[in-house]
Amino acid sequence: MKMRFVDEFRNPELIRKTLDEIERIIEPDDHFRIMEACGGHTYSIFHFGLQELLPKNIEFIHGPGCPVCVLPPGRVDEGLEIASKNSDVIFTAFGDVMRVPGKKGSPLNYKAMGTDVRMIYSPLDALNIAIKNPDKKIILFAIGFETTAPSTAITVLKAKELDIDNFFVYSNHVKIVPVLKSILDQPNMRIDGFIGPGHASVVIGAHPYEIIAKEYKKPVVISGFEPLDLLQSILMLIKQLKNGESKVEIQYKRVVMEGGNVSALEIIDQVFEDRPAFEWRGLGAIQNSALKLKPEFAKWDAEVQFNVEKITIEENKDAQCGEVLKGMLKPNQCKLFGKVCTPDNPVGALMVSSEGACATYYNHLYSTMSL
C-alpha cells in the first residue's frame, strides 16, 4: 500500500500535467513569493529538483518550520548544565538535537567529556530509562512543533500514572501559527502565500490557519511531502492568488482533517499551557509561541525541579539567519555560508539540521553555487 502511494505521488505523467497547468495560468509579469513553513518541504523541493522545474517567477521563501533550527542555543546549554553539574542526571534527546551547538558544545561534545547523554527515539524511551535507573534523574529534552507535543504529553501522563518521580521534561515545544504571524508582522515583509506544514497540521488541523487567511489575507494550502503533493499545493495557491482569494485549503487530505486530531489536541491541552513568550533563534521573542507544563505537572517539570538558570548566548552577528527566515536573503547570500558555516560546523541556526534551509542549500546546490 505504501509503495502504491509513493508511485502515485511521484508519477512523471501526473507531475508533467500539473507543471503544464501551473505554466498555463502564470503570466510573464507574475511574481509569487511562497513560504514553505516546514523544513521537510524545503528538503523535498530541493531533493526532487522542483525549483528547477517550476517557472522562475515562483520564488520560495524558506520558513521556520525546523524546530532544531529555531531552538536558541541557550536552551540547549540550560539542559546540559543540569546534567553536567549533577552526576546523578541522565540527559536524553532525539538524534537531531545531538549536534545543536551551545556555548560549550553540543550534547555529543558533552557526552565525549563524560556527561551521561543518551539518544532516544521516543519520549517513552526516556521514561523507560527512568524506570530502569531509579537512583538517577532523567531529563527529557523535549522539542518539536505540535507534531511531537502529544507524545511528550502522553509520556508525562504515563509518568503520573506510574508515579515515576525521577523523570523530568525540559519542554521546548513550539507552535506554528504564532511564528507565521510574527513573520508577517515584520516590516517590509512580502509573502504571497504559505505551503502549510503537513506534520503539525495532522495534529492541529486547518482551522488555526484561518487567522492567516482572514486577517493577513494570505492563502494557506496544507501540503504533503511528495513531489506531486507540493506541485498540487503550489497550483492551488496560485489559483487562489490569481482569483484574489485567501483561504485555507488542504491538499494533504489523506492524513490531515479540518479539525485536526481531536484526541491529540485534548492531550496537549491537558498537560501543556502557553508560555507568555519564547525566544526563537534568529527571530527573537514571540508571544504565546511555545508550550510549558501546567502547574499540576510541576513534579515532572525540569525547569521547576532544577531551578534552571536562564542562559542567553549572543548570536554570531555575521550569521544572518533571521534575514534568511524572513526571505530577505537567500542562504548562499549569508556572509558565513559555506565558508565558516557548514553542516559539519554549523554556526547559524539554519545549518544545524538537514531540514534547515542553509543545510538544504549546501547539500543540494553547493557544487553549482558561486560563494
Side-chain angles (χ1 to χ4, degrees):
M1 182 64 75
K2 289 182 180 178
M3 286 305 295
R4 184 174 67 85
F5 274 125
V6 169
D7 290 344
E8 287 175 350
F9 288 93
R10 297 182 183 182
N11 183 302
E13 185 177 341
L14 293 175
I15 288 172
R16 184 67 260 172
K17 184 178 178 181
T18 308
L19 280 168
D20 288 344
E21 190 167 358
I22 291 172
E23 291 169 354
R24 183 179 61 77
I25 63 173
I26 282 195
E27 297 172 277
D29 291 339
D30 288 335
H31 187 109
F32 298 120
R33 288 167 59 88
I34 295 173
M35 173 173 276
E36 79 276 6
C38 175
H41 285 153
T42 305
Y43 179 88
S44 292
I45 287 168
F46 283 89
H47 181 71
F48 293 109
L50 301 184
Q51 184 160 282
E52 301 302 314
L53 297 173
L54 287 161
K56 300 304 179 189
N57 37 6
I58 296 176
E59 180 182 357
F60 290 107
I61 311 298
H62 315 301
C66 169
V68 173
C69 298
V70 297
L71 183 69
R75 296 291 293 182
V76 182
D77 279 318
E78 288 163 15
L80 288 169
E81 281 285 293
I82 300 171
S84 63
K85 289 181 177 177
N86 298 279
S87 59
D88 61 344
V89 168
I90 299 174
F91 177 95
T92 67
F94 293 127
D96 53 358
V97 175
M98 289 295 169
R99 293 178 59 251
V100 177
K103 187 176 183 179
K104 298 178 183 176
S106 68
L108 281 179
N109 295 138
Y110 273 75
K111 183 179 178 65
M113 292 185 289
T115 302
D116 197 340
V117 173
R118 303 187 190 184
M119 188 178 78
I120 55 171
Y121 294 94
S122 84
L124 285 171
D125 289 345
L127 183 61
N128 286 331
I129 292 172
I131 293 171
K132 293 176 180 176
N133 296 272
D135 58 333
K136 297 285 188 179
K137 298 173 182 175
I138 284 63
I139 293 180
L140 168 62
F141 192 81
I143 188 172
F145 282 85
E146 291 93 336
T147 318
T148 53
S151 60
T152 300
I154 287 173
T155 306
V156 172
L157 294 174
K158 191 70 175 177
K160 181 180 180 181
E161 176 190 335
L162 299 176
D163 195 24
I164 305 298
D165 58 7
N166 65 329
F167 169 77
F168 308 94
V169 173
Y170 193 70
S171 175
N172 298 281
H173 286 297
V174 289
K175 300 169 66 178
I176 185 66
V177 173
V179 71
L180 296 185
K181 289 173 58 184
S182 173
I183 288 173
L184 288 170
D185 287 334
Q186 299 286 332
N188 302 317
M189 177 55 55
R190 191 199 144 193
I191 293 172
D192 296 308
F194 290 93
I195 297 174
H199 292 150
S201 302
V202 170
V203 175
I204 67 174
H207 298 320
Y209 302 101
E210 293 292 342
I211 191 170
I212 304 294
K214 291 180 179 176
E215 294 192 14
Y216 291 89
K217 306 299 182 188
K218 305 297 181 185
V220 179
V221 176
I222 298 166
S223 177
F225 296 85
E226 293 294 332
L228 194 56
D229 285 322
L230 284 159
L231 292 176
Q232 286 178 343
S233 299
I234 292 164
L235 177 59
M236 292 162 74
L237 274 173
I238 291 173
K239 283 182 175 178
Q240 283 199 52
L241 291 167
K242 298 288 283 185
N243 292 331
E245 299 175 314
S246 58
K247 56 188 179 182
V248 181
E249 294 183 293
I250 303 173
Q251 180 277 334
Y252 202 23
K253 288 185 176 178
R254 59 190 185 276
V255 291
V256 176
M257 310 291 287
E258 287 281 350
N261 184 322
V262 175
S263 298
L265 290 170
E266 288 176 350
I267 290 171
I268 291 176
D269 187 56
Q270 185 177 351
V271 174
F272 290 109
E273 64 183 15
D274 284 357
R275 294 180 185 273
F278 189 75
E279 189 79 17
W280 290 63
R281 201 173 186 184
L283 293 172
I286 302 175
Q287 292 183 341
N288 300 317
S289 64
L291 300 170
K292 64 175 183 177
L293 268 64
K294 286 184 172 179
E296 54 263 44
F297 295 99
K299 179 178 176 180
W300 298 278
D301 189 340
E303 291 178 79
V304 174
Q305 298 301 326
F306 291 92
N307 191 25
V308 180
E309 183 178 348
K310 182 173 175 56
I311 298 175
T312 301
I313 299 175
E314 188 174 348
E315 296 274 4
N316 186 316
K317 293 180 180 177
D318 289 331
Q320 298 168 285
C321 305
E323 286 86 347
V324 174
L325 282 173
K326 298 166 193 168
M328 297 173 181
L329 284 181
K330 297 300 181 188
N332 59 312
Q333 293 172 325
C334 173
K335 298 172 186 174
L336 305 184
F337 180 87
K339 302 180 179 72
V340 178
C341 188
T342 66
D344 288 334
N345 181 40
V347 177
L350 305 181
M351 195 64 90
V352 174
S353 164
S354 61
E355 293 190 349
C358 291
T360 299
Y361 260 62
Y362 188 94
N363 289 326
H364 289 86
L365 300 177
Y366 178 70
S367 62
T368 61
M369 280 182 176
S370 176
L371 299 178

